[in-house]
Amino acid sequence: MRPLRYSINVTLDGCCHHEAGLPPDEESMRYWTAEMERADALLFGRVTYEMMESAWRKPATGTWPEWMGEWEIPFAETIDRAKKYVVSSTLSEVDWNADLVRGDLGQAVQRLKQRQATACGWGA
């Protein structure tokens, strides 16, 4: 069975609000890029999926936005191409290399963990 790894950004004072923490830097982006490259897939809730998609989905033009620094592009490319699973009872469909997960979350995660894969990790 594949492992499920959980991660969340938390400041030293316990804050886990995405916009309240420090902005990413080159070192943290290298770390998270490497972690995602080890993962078979990413497991998101709806809010996180929509937030990540709005920031990191490659535009239809095929060119990354001007606001994105060169050191952010490897992360953007990695998350853009990653397989994603989205847990939501309100979305009717997803795209961006994603499948919708519905019903009993525990059972759904167990099924995902039991699937064969070439890599050994999961990101969430």
Side-chain angles (χ1 to χ4, degrees):
M1 186 176 293
R2 299 187 298 181
L4 174 65
R5 294 187 185 99
Y6 175 79
S7 67
I8 189 168
N9 297 333
V10 180
T11 62
L12 292 176
D13 63 357
C15 179
C16 60
H17 187 280
H18 175 73
E19 296 170 346
L22 297 173
D25 58 16
E26 288 186 52
E27 181 181 0
S28 67
M29 291 300 262
R30 278 192 305 274
Y31 173 82
W32 288 112
T33 300
E35 286 296 301
M36 280 194 304
E37 287 172 343
R38 293 177 45 211
D40 294 329
L42 306 175
L43 179 63
F44 294 130
R46 177 192 57 82
V47 172
T48 302
Y49 168 78
E50 290 175 341
M51 178 185 64
M52 298 302 267
E53 182 185 28
S54 70
W56 302 110
R57 184 176 191 156
K58 193 165 198 170
T61 62
T63 304
W64 292 109
E66 290 184 23
W67 63 260
M68 192 177 292
E70 282 294 317
W71 54 273
E72 294 173 296
I73 291 175
F75 177 88
E77 290 174 340
T78 301
I79 196 169
D80 185 61
R81 71 176 168 258
K83 176 64 182 166
K84 299 159 195 79
Y85 292 96
V86 182
V87 177
S88 175
S89 61
T90 58
L91 291 175
S92 59
E93 61 182 37
V94 292
D95 59 3
W96 194 43
N97 304 326
D99 288 334
L100 199 54
V101 176
R102 293 194 181 275
D104 184 289
L105 180 57
Q107 290 176 6
V109 169
Q110 285 298 321
R111 283 191 305 274
L112 291 171
K113 288 177 62 170
Q114 291 172 356
R115 289 186 182 173
Q116 293 295 333
T118 57
C120 66
W122 266 69

